[in-house]
Amino acid sequence: MSEIQGAAGAVVPVVPDDVPGTRRVVLFGPPGIGKTTTAGVLGRRLGLPVLRLAPGPQDARISWTGLLELALALQPLPAAGELAAALDEAAGRPGPPDGAGPALRLRRLTTALLREAPPLTLVVDNAQWLDAASAAVLRWALRLVPDLPVIVAERTWRPGAEGHWSGEDAHVVRVPSLAHHQIAALLALYRPTAREVTRIHACSGGNPALALALADDRGRTADGPTAQGPEDDPVLPPAARRLVGEWLSTVSGEVQELLTFAALDDRPDRRLLGRLAGPAAEHLLTEAEAAGLIDTDQPDGTVRFTASAIGAELTARLPDTARRLLHARLAEASHDGLRRDRHTALASDADDPRIAQHAARAAVSARRRGEHALAAELSLFAAQRTPPQDTALLTERALTAARDAAHYGDLARGRTAARLVLQHDSSPAQRVDTLIALIDASGQHLDDADHLFADALHTAAGHPDLTAQILIRRSLWANVNEGDPQRACDLAEQAATLSEAAGDTATTAMALTLQARFQRILGHPGTGTTLARALFLPRNPLTPVNGTPQHLAARHTLFDDRPDQARTLLLPLLVEAERTADAEATVDILRSLAEAELRAGRCTRALDHAHRAQILTDRTSLSPAPACYTSALVEGAARNTDTALAHARRGIDTARHEDNKVFLSRNLFALGHLLMTTGHPKEALDALEEVRALEERQQVRDPSLLRWHPELAETLTAHGRLDEAQDLLDDTRRTATELGRTSVLPGLDRAQALLEAARGDYDTAAHRLGEAADHLHHLPLDRGRTLLALSHTERRARRRASARTAAQSAADLFTTHQAHPWAEAAARTLRRLDTLPADNRARPHLTGAEQRCAELAAAGASNRDIAAALTVSVKTVEATLTRVYRKLGLHSRVQLPHTVTPARE
């Protein structure tokens, strides 16, 4: 990728490196997307001086200004003076750009000037303002100078019949918007939280200049990069408004009018916009899409703004009266009853109390249809329009709005609704329900958690059923944010006791489910009994699907390596979560399904589930950390390790900002695994050792939940820390055996075999790997990975035929199950076996740690010096050299310099 520098010097990709060898490139994209920077990067890549022309808006209507700028830039070349003089004459009697007379002479002089110029790259920035006369002459002249590199940057690409004026074979590149992790790198100097990065990325659509304008202003607002204006629409800061206004100016007024309608609707589609604009709608939408303002290629047929700031600016321009009139037109044109109700409500006079009842009824319809985002908007609107003197009704509607907001993870509306309840007289049950809804809507974003929980418990005093519901949320907080599953388990047990005494079976089931979850983490023998008690109780349809014992049972089945059974249990839960439009529950079920499909080797399905979970997460206020963890695992095994690494790093950053210890550990595990498999053992060791420290602090005893143990043991082995690796494997095997977690044993066997191979015991290692592979027929990717390890072991034992058989079996498995990164790794192993020179085939293989140790010893370093250089103990050095002697068939240290090339210090 070509690169730009972020605000803190971070490197941010801009345009792919695979631009063909053509010497003519056209870059296009909206204002602020980075065309100028990208043109500079491409120009420097060619290694030639850059001649930059930059016409402005005032130049577009004046003939020959572009050629005059070229002539002035190339002075004192003789042809430059002649061209400037000819342009002066042409200005006195302008003619048609492509006609006879002045134009022919200008073509000849421009061609001569370009041929006379020293080697350079011509960059034309803001080419949308290049005057037509100059463009016509340059089109003709550049055909005669085919070796001159030309890079053009302009806002939109509207190809003509003859292609671009810079060359008919010009390679056209849309400068892409920046991805989430690239925006994070760009804004590093501002030290934004992960939540702020997510909001700025959505608001800017990945436009770097717009993201910087939003980040520069974010400190002036209390919650994110924008303040709130009428109807809860975001109000952009002045710099961002100017940039978006410039972007909108690239399209006609008719397009802007149609986009304003789209901005006022929550799900605009072609049918609705066609009713508003008539036959011209398709043409107007095409113009908007060419300008990069919208994306019409959505699976649900909707029209989406590429940056939410575009819609915010369009609505912010509207006076209240005009806004209501446009909502009225949308109500008439809407083909969806719910949207018609929404627009009718928004078109009404704010002082009309009847509209509150209308909005409340519409919210009920939206809720029944599972559209909780719309229900949250309408129910909050109903509460805000309820007369203040009608306290009971206002409180009821605001509480409903808070619940709707919690269901969709809409923290902003949840807080607004909660304030309405808490500002008026209400019952303890209503106040507790409101506080619980606010906690549920907040996810990992609670900045005042202790105060909120204390307030809720004080309000619930004397009501055991209400207290139990608060303790359930408190137990989740203790596990995720405090990293204390024992305290979480105690709180869940207390909640179960209180709710059972109060006869609240639904709350009891939730509490027992959490208790069973934390008991498994702690390795408690009563886990199965507690979960069975929860499964026996009747289901409450209001309980979030991801909080049910049925979901936990599916997760436990997955931990026990029964992915097909887990999938069978999860699919009905996904249907239920999607039917109720519970965003958080849907993401959790999709993540579980992705992990189950991946374990079963169904990579395409796993990718689909992970992708859906990531999209839904990014469209709501949910924490990205859980979806990033699943995406990292699935992408790394099934499609692209670079993308997987980006997901893991984003998940780590988010979890650190949110103090989410559970998903910090998981994303670090994903990162360590990916780094190890891509050949970065040092960085992998850092990540995995942090995982071990986190898991130990969180008292996680069950090794089946997050299988970092064999990964860390393998990484320690690669670093020559064999005794540490052995201790870890022995401890983990004892715990797994004690808890009956046989599902983790094949992974431990793989790591143990690699450790034995590092000690030179290839026969034992190969036998162990073969047995492990035989136990993994139901987990094809794990089986393939074990066979690949067997191939490496057999190669080191100089059994090339067996090594090739194992590698081919692994390659066949990975290819069949579409695990592309692993298939490529197996293919590389096969190529290495096929091309290995005959003299090297019989040569013993030393690990990296053994090779380095042998080189230092061959150079004359003492064991103590070697230990200091490699940051290991003297005992480890002695053991390593013993293995080196055995592998190389040596009897003493003095033979090393004759066998191993000494290290050069």
Side-chain angles (χ1 to χ4, degrees), residues 22 60 105 160 281 504 532 586 590 609 701 719 721 785 848:
T22 177
R105 184 183 178 200
D504 185 350
T586 302
L590 284 170
H609 292 315
R701 189 161 180 262
H719 284 78
R721 293 160 60 176
R785 186 178 175 187

Side-chain angles (χ1 to χ4, degrees), residues 85-99:
L87 288 169
D88 285 340
E89 294 180 19
R93 46 185 182 83
D98 291 311

Side-chain angles (χ1 to χ4, degrees), residues 533-564:
R533 285 180 61 199
L535 288 166
F536 180 76
L537 293 172
R539 276 280 310 274
N540 184 336
L542 298 178
T543 301
V545 178
N546 57 331
T548 61
Q550 287 75 17
H551 180 232
L552 184 64
R555 292 292 298 172
H556 285 189
T557 303
L558 183 57
F559 296 151
D560 294 334
D561 280 351
R562 290 177 282 159
D564 289 334

Side-chain angles (χ1 to χ4, degrees), residues 42-101:
L42 292 178
R44 289 193 299 274
R45 184 190 296 174
L46 296 174
L48 297 173
V50 172
L51 174 62
R52 181 174 177 271
L53 305 183
Q58 70 280 3
D59 301 322
R61 294 183 177 84
I62 304 175
S63 296
W64 319 118
T65 52
L67 289 183
L68 180 60
E69 186 179 3
L70 176 66
L72 294 176
L74 288 175
Q75 287 183 342
L77 295 177
E82 292 184 49
L83 178 59
L87 288 169
D88 285 340
E89 294 180 19
R93 46 185 182 83
D98 291 311

Side-chain angles (χ1 to χ4, degrees), residues 611-627:
H611 183 62
R612 288 170 60 192
Q614 194 73 58
I615 288 176
L616 183 53
T617 293
D618 290 341
R619 287 181 179 174
T620 61
S621 300
L622 298 174
S623 167

